[in-house]
Structure formats: structure tokens, C-alpha cells
């Protein structure tokens, strides 16, 4: 029996074209390239939604503009917007974003994940949980939760 | 008082040794309170996301080595560790919802008891001053008190309910059987035993309305006299509390209870995970901004009840978050720190000429 969906009919948006860096502008090939907004977006755009066969980009949960990065201060902040205000998947989506960035970025980065202001009924509670590293660590040791996260991050979904 | 001249201020935290061996983040540290005297080499316990605890010992050359790995007992993260006051038993609390009691037998450490009862992750463990009671706290919002019985038996004598969210850490007063717990619900709770009923109850809650914290409280530490307490939080502040009155003599109308003295803010940019008050009166803090700060009470009493000033900030003390800072109880100028980078560092506080 199919389980009831939190958001049965999400609005699906198009994927943004992948931009490639113009290497010809780069005169010094040994120059250090700072990590930028676009690079972070590329890491998270293809994460699969926990209940739909669409990516977070297609559901407009994340966009390039929702990513703030300060390479010098080693700080990244991702602000995401769940498809519905009462989305019980918000914590899972946030967890997926955190895990993907933890695995993709150098360990010197401090990562903050938060809901877009006003986008969720229990915004403060979800934000607090997503940024408590002890609870995140405990959640990832939970086999069921780890499996859901692994599915959302599966590389076959592009 | 301290043999370090605070007025001069030319202090440095010199790295003595980096201890490597854990294969995941190191969550917590505990100095053995009796080792380091009477011919016993100094001893430090650490615990980690790699599901083990390790015992580190200083050799004759002065260098520190791993003397034992406590494994195959916990099957998830070991979040906290604490030595009994006699230094013979080590308690480890784990995300697997159990607390293990370890005893040295020969060169090895043997698990002599496993305490079960919490519904989920155990986050903190602490022994009372006499070593007869062990407190544990958990994500299940409760604090349990266990009494040590003959034959390595531990009996749960109280389950303390009151926090509305997970309890991050428990710590006993240095001289009294007064237990303090700090929580994700932003509050600090003070618990005592009701003499007549053999029952434990919360006698005070220090919350935001009592000038307390506005986010998760991660840790606490008493000064050696027990008349001051410091707490640290996700709200990026540390708070000093006057704890000079005995909670068993609190009156019903709140008179004689513990109260807020001052707030230290603007020193850390990210969550403050650990705080520890040294025998010399120096408060160390470790935070998610990778730094360690040291504070000392100022002698110029411009503020009622005293004020505390930063005497040193060590930026980039570790490559990642600093989860625990603990002063050596025997050599109060030695500090140990543990980090998400998997390492433990030993530091010496020295005066720079």
C-alpha cells in the first residue's frame, strides 16, 4: 500500500544549466581557487528529495542564491525552503545537506544549515536540532535514518 | 592562590604533546584524580566517536603514550567518561544507552558492570565526592542516580524528571551531594536528596528568566571551593553563578538560592562546548571556533560580585571544534583538550619573559 505523502503534488522546477569555469581566464594555474557559491551548490543540487523522485534543485528547496560562503573565514551557510510549511521531512533534508557538505568540503569548514525564515511551522526547533552536532552524530548512528540519508545522497540519482 | 602572576598577563599556552590514536572525534576527557602522586604516573582517559575509550599515561621520559584501549563493550559513540574519586574506576557513557564501569586488573582495564535503563543516548556521567553515587544523563530527558553496592553492583536509586529536552551533562558539587544538570532546554537544574524520603528533587532551575542561557547549555564546572559555578552554552556565552549557599537550606521563597553573578560574552564565535575551572582559579573554555580561552577573576572590583577577564585566547588550538578542556588536578598549569580533529593536546600554561 502506498504511504501517504506529505506533499502529494509538489511544484517541479527546471534544472539550472551546469556552468563550467572559464579556464582561459585563469592565467596562473597554480593559484589557489577559493571555494565559491557555485561549487557548494553543485555539491547539494542533486540530493534527492526523501519522498519524490526529484532533486532538491528541481523542488526549489535549494538554489545558488540560498548559499552563502566565506572562504577566508571557512564558513558556509545553506538556507533551504521546504516545499510545504508543515513538512515533516525538513529535518531529514537538512541532515542530508549537512552530511553531503561534511563529506565534500575540507574539514576546516564550519557549516550552518537553516530553514528559510518563515518557511516552516517549527523553524526554530528544526534549526536548533540541525546545528546540534551531538544530535546529528547520534542521528547518523541510527541505522534507519542513515539509510534514508544514504538513499537521498545516492550518486545514481543525477 | 595561583603562582602565575595574572597582572603581568604575558602568558602562553605551549603545546607539550599531541596524542593521536582515536579514529573519530574525541568527545570528552578525564584526568585520573589520584594518579600523578605516590609514584603513580599521571593518567588521562579519553572517549570518542570511534566507540572506544583510551587510557593515556606519562612514561618515565615525560612522554605520553596510550596504555590501554577500552573496546568491544560499547557499540556506539562513547560520549563521556569519569573517574571515581579513588581513581580506581572509570565510568563511560555511550550513545548505545548504557554506562560501563571499568576497573584496572593487571595491565588491562576490565568492564565490571554495565548500567542499563536509559531509553536512548547517555550523554554524561559523574561521580559524587565520596564515590558512593554515580549520576548519568540522557537524551531521554532524565537523570539517573546509581548507588554502588558491594560486589560491583549498581542499583538505580532515583530517576530525576524535570528537563523538557535532552540532558547534556551532569556534575556534582565538589564537597556536597548536590547534583547539577544542564540541558538542550537551555536550563540548569539543581538536585538534592530529601533526607526523610530517600527521594531526589529539583530545588532550583536556573533558566533565561534567572539571567540564564538562551540556548543549549553544554557544560558546567565548579571552582575548587564550590562557591562559584561556571556554565557554557550554544548562546556563545559563559555565565558565573554564586553557589555559596547550601541548597538543602534553600527556603521556599527562593531566598538563599544560587544566583547569577556575571556573563562573559564576545569571546567565542561559535558554540562553547566545554568549561573547566582549575585549582589555581583559571577558567578554560573550548569551543566550536577551534579556540581555547582562559579567564581569571580580576582584583579590581568594579562590578558587584566580581568580574572575570580574558587572560589568554589560543586561536586554532585544534584544526576543528574543541569539545573538551580539562585542567590536571595535580599539576594545575597543565591543560588537556580534545577535538573533532581526533586528537588530544596537552598544554602547559607558562609565563613569557
Amino acid at each position: 500500500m502506498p504511504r501517504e505523502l506529505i506533499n502529494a503534488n509538489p511544484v517541479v522546477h527546471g534544472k539550472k544549466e551546469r556552468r563550467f569555469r572559464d579556464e582561459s581566464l585563469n592565467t596562473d594555474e597554480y593559484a589557489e581557487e577559493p571555494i565559491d557559491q557555485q561549487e557548494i551548490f553543485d555539491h547539494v543540487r542533486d540530493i534527492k528529495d526523501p519522498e519524490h523522485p526529484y532533486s532538491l534543485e528541481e523542488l526549489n528547496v535549494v538554489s545558488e542564491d540560498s548559499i552563502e560562503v566565506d572562504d577566508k573565514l571557512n564558513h558556509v551557510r545553506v538556507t533551504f525552503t521546504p516545499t510545504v510549511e508543515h513538512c515533516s521531512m525538513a529535518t531529514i533534508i537538512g541532515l542530508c545537506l549537512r552530511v553531503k557538505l561534511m563529506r565534500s568540503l575540507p574539514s576546516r569548514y564550519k557549516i550552518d544549515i537553516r530553514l528559510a525564515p518563515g518557511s516552516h511551522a517549527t523553524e526554530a526547533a528544526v534549526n536548533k536540532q540541525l546545528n546540534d552536532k551531538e544530535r546529528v552524530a547520534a542521528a547518523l548512528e541510527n541505522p534507519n535514518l542513515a539509510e534514508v540519508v544514504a538513499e537521498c545522497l545516492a550518486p545514481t540519482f543525477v | 592562590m595561583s603562582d602565575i602572576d595574572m597582572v603581568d598577563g604575558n602568558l602562553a599556552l605551549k603545546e607539550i604533546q599531541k596524542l593521536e590514536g582515536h579514529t573519530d572525534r574525541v568527545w570528552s576527557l578525564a584526568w585520573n584524580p589520584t594518579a600523578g602522586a605516590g609514584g603513580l604516573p599521571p593518567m588521562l582517559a579519553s572517549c570518542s566517536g570511534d566507540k572506544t575509550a583510551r587510557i593515556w599515561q606519562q612514561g618515565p621520559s615525560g612522554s605520553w603514550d596510550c596504555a590501554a584501549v577500552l573496546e568491544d563493550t560499547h557499540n556506539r559513540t562513547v560520549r563521556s567518561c569519569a573517574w571515581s574519586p579513588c581513581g580506581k574506576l572509570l565510568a563511560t557513557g555511550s550513545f548505545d544507552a548504557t554506562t560501563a564501569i571499568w576497573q584496572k586488573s593487571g595491565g588491562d582495564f576490565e568492564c565490571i558492570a554495565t548500567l542499563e535503563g536509559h531509553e536512548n543516548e547517555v550523554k554524561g556521567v559523574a561521580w559524587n565526592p565520596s564515590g558512593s553515587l554515580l549520576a548519568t544523563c540522557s537524551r531521554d530527558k532524565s537523570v539517573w542516580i546509581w548507588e554502588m553496592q558491594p560486589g560491583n553492583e549498581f542499583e538505580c536509586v532515583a530517576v530525576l524528571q524535570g528537563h523538557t529536552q535532552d540532558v547534556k551533562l551532569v556534575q556534582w558539587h565538589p564537597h556536597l551531594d548536590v547534583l547539577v544538570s544542564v540541558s538542550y532546554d537551555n536550563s540548569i537544574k539543581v538536585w538534592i536528596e530529601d533526607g526523610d524520603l530517600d527521594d531526589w528533587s529539583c530545588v532550583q532551575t536556573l533558566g533565561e528568566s534567572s539571567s540564564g542561557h538562551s540556548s543549549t547549555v553544554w557544560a558546567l564546572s565548579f571552582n575548587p571551593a564550590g562557591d562559584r559555578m561556571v556554565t557554557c552554552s550554544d548562546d556563545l556565552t559563559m555565565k558565573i553563578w554564586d553557589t555559596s549557599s547550601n541548597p538543602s537550606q534553600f527556603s521556599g521563597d527562593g531566598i538563599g538560592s544560587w544566583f547569577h553573578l556575571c556573563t562573559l560574552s564576545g569571546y567565542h564565535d561559535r558554540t562553547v562546548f566545554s568549561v573547566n575551572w582549575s585549582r589555581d582559579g583559571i577558567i578554560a573554555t573550548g569551543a566550536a571556533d577551534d579556540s581555547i580561552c582562559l579567564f581569571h577573576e580580576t582584583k579590581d572590583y568594579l562590578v558587584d560580585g566580581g568580574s572575570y577577564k580574558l587572560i589568554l585566547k589560543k586561536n586554532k588550538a585544534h584544526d576543528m571544534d574543541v569539545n573538551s578542556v580539562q585542567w590536571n588536578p595535580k599539576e594545575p598549569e597543565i591543560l588537556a583538550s580534545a577535538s573533532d580533529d581526533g586528537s588530544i593536546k596537552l598544554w602547559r600554561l607558562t609565563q613569557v619573559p
Side-chain angles (χ1 to χ4, degrees):
Chain A
M1 200 177 85
R3 73 194 162 97
E4 205 179 316
L5 296 172
I6 307 287
N7 180 6
N9 295 299
V11 182
V12 181
H13 304 259
K15 286 188 193 181
K16 229 171 127 183
E17 204 179 314
R18 268 161 214 275
R19 285 182 281 139
F20 291 93
R21 287 157 207 282
D22 189 345
E23 300 292 341
S24 64
L25 291 173
N26 201 351
T27 47
D28 178 3
E29 61 178 309
Y30 296 108
E32 203 180 320
E33 268 188 80
I35 290 176
D36 61 12
Q37 224 180 358
Q38 188 198 333
E39 184 173 341
I40 309 269
F41 182 57
D42 284 343
H43 285 306
V44 298
R45 64 197 297 178
D46 297 321
I47 295 172
K48 183 192 159 298
D49 181 83
E51 64 173 14
H52 293 291
Y54 301 112
S55 70
L56 296 187
E57 179 188 14
E58 287 173 298
L59 297 176
N60 239 9
V61 173
V62 285
S63 68
E64 198 169 325
D65 292 337
S66 65
I67 289 156
E68 295 157 85
V69 53
D70 188 324
D71 190 61
K72 280 205 176 65
L73 292 177
N74 300 319
H75 183 233
V76 172
R77 181 161 79 175
V78 179
T79 305
F80 70 103
T81 309
T83 53
V84 283
E85 264 193 26
H86 294 275
C87 183
S88 59
M89 296 291 166
T91 317
I92 300 275
I93 295 170
L95 198 58
C96 291
L97 286 165
R98 177 169 292 283
V99 172
K100 186 66 173 62
L101 291 180
M102 265 167 27
R103 289 176 188 167
S104 310
L105 297 177
S107 62
R108 63 187 163 92
Y109 275 93
K110 304 292 181 183
I111 302 160
D112 289 323
I113 309 286
R114 61 161 195 175
L115 286 159
S119 69
H120 198 270
T122 56
E123 185 184 320
V126 174
N127 284 343
K128 189 171 184 180
Q129 205 169 344
L130 287 175
N131 292 292
D132 180 320
K133 74 169 183 189
E134 187 185 55
R135 290 178 72 132
V136 168
L140 294 174
E141 287 184 9
N142 173 330
N144 299 330
L145 214 46
E147 195 185 327
V148 175
V149 170
E151 262 172 47
C152 293
L153 299 186
T156 47
F157 185 84
V158 178
Chain B
M1 215 34 236
S2 165
D3 47 356
I4 294 161
D5 182 7
M6 292 303 152
V7 183
D8 209 346
N10 294 324
L11 294 165
L13 211 45
K14 291 256 166 71
E15 187 179 325
I16 304 171
Q17 199 181 332
K18 187 176 180 180
L19 309 181
E20 289 175 297
H22 280 298
T23 56
D24 201 316
R25 62 158 62 103
V26 186
W27 275 112
S28 181
L29 298 170
W31 290 97
N32 186 303
T34 55
L40 286 167
M43 200 188 277
L44 178 73
S46 61
C47 61
S48 161
D50 68 11
K51 304 171 189 165
T52 74
R54 281 174 176 253
I55 308 292
W56 307 85
Q57 224 166 8
Q58 193 175 23
S61 67
S63 159
W64 289 76
D65 289 303
C66 181
V69 180
L70 282 50
E71 55 194 344
D72 301 329
T73 291
H74 291 300
N75 54 41
R76 288 183 60 184
T77 285
V78 187
R79 175 64 182 90
S80 61
C81 53
W83 293 98
S84 61
C86 66
K88 293 198 173 111
L89 301 176
L90 180 76
T92 53
S94 165
F95 283 181
D96 69 12
T98 71
T99 301
I101 310 291
W102 305 80
Q103 188 175 38
K104 195 171 182 184
S105 89
D108 288 333
F109 281 81
E110 193 187 350
C111 177
I112 57 161
T114 307
L115 283 45
E116 292 173 9
H118 280 294
E119 279 171 36
N120 43 43
E121 294 92 325
V122 175
K123 301 205 164 174
V125 290
W127 299 86
N128 73 334
S130 71
S132 60
L133 301 172
L134 179 74
T136 58
C137 64
S138 161
R139 187 165 73 88
D140 68 13
K141 305 169 190 171
S142 70
V143 175
W144 290 40
I145 295 179
W146 308 80
E147 194 171 53
M148 210 173 144
Q149 313 278 342
N152 298 331
E153 291 287 323
F154 286 78
E155 190 196 339
C156 175
V157 292
V159 176
L160 316 182
Q161 308 278 4
H163 281 296
T164 58
Q165 293 287 344
D166 64 293
V167 189
K168 295 296 195 185
L169 191 116
V170 278
Q171 189 73 57
W172 294 85
H173 185 281
H175 316 302
L176 306 168
D177 276 344
V178 172
L179 183 70
V180 182
S181 57
V182 294
S183 167
Y184 187 90
D185 70 12
N186 309 351
S187 78
I188 303 155
K189 284 184 180 286
V190 185
W191 310 85
I192 60 162
E193 187 178 13
D194 189 319
D196 299 331
L197 298 165
D198 194 31
D199 207 8
W200 288 75
S201 57
C202 175
V203 286
Q204 194 175 11
T205 300
L206 302 167
E208 206 173 352
S209 59
S210 331
S211 304
H213 291 287
S214 58
S215 189
T216 304
V217 191
W218 279 94
L220 78 119
S221 179
F222 283 96
N223 69 344
D227 60 352
R228 294 280 187 279
M229 173 176 81
V230 59
T231 52
C232 64
S233 165
D234 179 55
D235 69 10
L236 314 185
T237 73
M238 286 70 70
K239 286 175 185 279
I240 313 277
W241 306 84
D242 184 308
T243 58
S244 55
S245 53
N246 186 335
S248 46
Q249 275 133 40
F250 285 0
S251 69
D253 50 11
I255 294 169
S257 50
W258 293 358
F259 60 92
H260 173 259
L261 274 180
C262 62
T263 299
L264 310 180
S265 60
Y267 299 105
H268 286 294
D269 300 331
R270 297 185 70 83
T271 308
V272 190
F273 287 121
S274 180
V275 64
N276 190 245
W277 210 316
S278 84
R279 212 180 69 190
D280 275 352
I282 300 172
I283 297 169
T285 56
D289 61 9
D290 309 346
S291 76
I292 294 172
C293 284
L294 304 183
F295 300 89
H296 195 268
E297 191 169 8
T298 57
K299 289 298 160 222
D300 34 312
Y301 284 101
L302 299 172
V303 184
D304 280 344
S307 65
Y308 292 78
K309 73 165 184 181
L310 181 78
I311 56 168
L312 188 149
K313 180 166 187 179
K314 186 80 184 175
N315 283 310
K316 285 274 151 217
H318 281 273
D319 294 334
M320 294 173 75
D321 297 8
V322 180
N323 296 324
S324 183
V325 282
Q326 300 293 329
W327 293 102
N328 183 330
K330 287 283 187 297
E331 291 179 85
E333 72 283 4
I334 305 290
L335 181 75
S337 61
S339 167
D340 274 1
D341 68 18
S343 77
I344 298 152
K345 285 185 180 181
L346 297 174
W347 309 86
R348 183 187 300 276
L349 183 60
T350 54
Q351 190 124 35
V352 183

